[in-house]
Amino acid sequence: MTIRIFPTAQDAEIAFYEALEHADLEAMMSVWAEDEEIVCVHPTGPRLTGQDQVRESWRQIFAGGAGARVQVSQEAVTSGVMFAVHSVLENFAVEGQPQPAPVVATNVYLRTPAGWRMLAHHASPAPRQARAQARPAAQEVPKILH
Amino acid sequence: MTIRIFPTAQDAEIAFYEALEHADLEAMMSVWAEDEEIVCVHPTGPRLTGQDQVRESWRQIFAGGAGARVQVSQEAVTSGVMFAVHSVLENFAVEGQPQPAPVVATNVYLRTPAGWRMLAHHASPAPRQARAQARPAAQEVPKILH
């Protein structure tokens, strides 16, 4: 596997979503940190930790092949010297299918000796209106516990 | 509001879950960073940003009152000098009710001039088996896109 160096967290994020679009497992895993306990939560999925679990989950997701375009919007970024937290909406588009509801993702990146890498990716389905309306009306706030 | 100083990210996390259990809005908001763009995703909810949206969401959740106990388990922590990322399972218990499925949460903390504060909280329902089985079997990995 070619080792890729990402000079910024944004570079790592671009590579992450390119790998996702192309269903490219090696490119995907080149984005993740190697020496930290990485954490990945796919929409509606369990919490996965470590290279083996995270790789296996992407392998299974990518087994269906590429075909979805993903556009990232409404990015909220906080960053420091050694870390960056990107909150984004992921808007998927599959040709010939209605656009699904967006996914809200929290992406955490670390500056490592090998450049910026992903430490955590937590994704969950967002209510459809989150795409058009950044500030939810009161009635849209979930009423469930926590 | 009394300003609370949390000497460690763990102290902030303990205060976060205590405030959640007690449905204490002021205690909850004292955990969050004030000068950063905070991000909060409640289970199945939209992405909320900023003090106003986050406070309003907790106000609505807490309007139902306290009563749920929450136990945090399977913590995976990565921390640096200025940040900490805690991935946890939240196990809720409401007296007289069956235990709900756990919630998986990614909590990001920053070291600020006012001590450690929460920058991001992303929570989503976890499959029930995540409680008993840290490593999911292959068939449990969600088959949905991404």
Side-chain angles (χ1 to χ4, degrees), chain A residues 101-123:
Chain A
V103 167
V104 56
T106 302
N107 298 325
V108 182
Y109 301 93
L110 292 185
R111 187 178 177 183
T112 78
W116 285 82
R117 296 292 188 97
M118 180 171 267
L119 172 71
H121 171 69
H122 189 152

Side-chain angles (χ1 to χ4, degrees), chain A residues 39 43 45-48 53 58 60 74 78 83 87 90 92 104 106 110 121-122 124 127 135-136 138 144-146, chain B residues 42-43 45-48 53 58 60-61 74 83 87 90 92 104 106 110 121-122 124 127 135-136 138 144-146:
Chain A
V39 173
R47 193 269 302 270
L48 307 172
Q53 287 189 17
W58 288 113
Q60 292 188 33
Q74 296 183 29
T78 297
F83 76 94
S87 168
E90 304 171 346
F92 288 91
V104 56
T106 302
L110 292 185
H121 171 69
H122 189 152
S124 58
R135 185 189 181 92
I144 63 172
L145 175 69
H146 169 45
Chain B
H42 297 292
R47 192 267 303 269
L48 308 172
Q53 286 189 20
W58 288 114
Q60 292 187 32
I61 290 167
Q74 297 182 31
F83 76 95
S87 168
E90 303 171 346
F92 288 90
V104 56
T106 302
L110 293 185
H121 171 70
H122 190 153
S124 58
R135 186 190 181 90
I144 64 170
L145 175 69
H146 169 48

Side-chain angles (χ1 to χ4, degrees), chain A residues 28-58:
Chain A
M28 168 57 73
M29 294 314 297
S30 76
V31 175
W32 289 83
E34 291 192 305
D35 298 327
E36 307 287 345
E37 187 170 30
I38 57 176
V39 173
C40 184
V41 182
H42 297 292
T44 75
R47 193 269 302 270
L48 307 172
T49 56
Q51 288 279 336
D52 290 351
Q53 287 189 17
V54 174
R55 170 181 282 271
E56 175 61 16
S57 72
W58 288 113

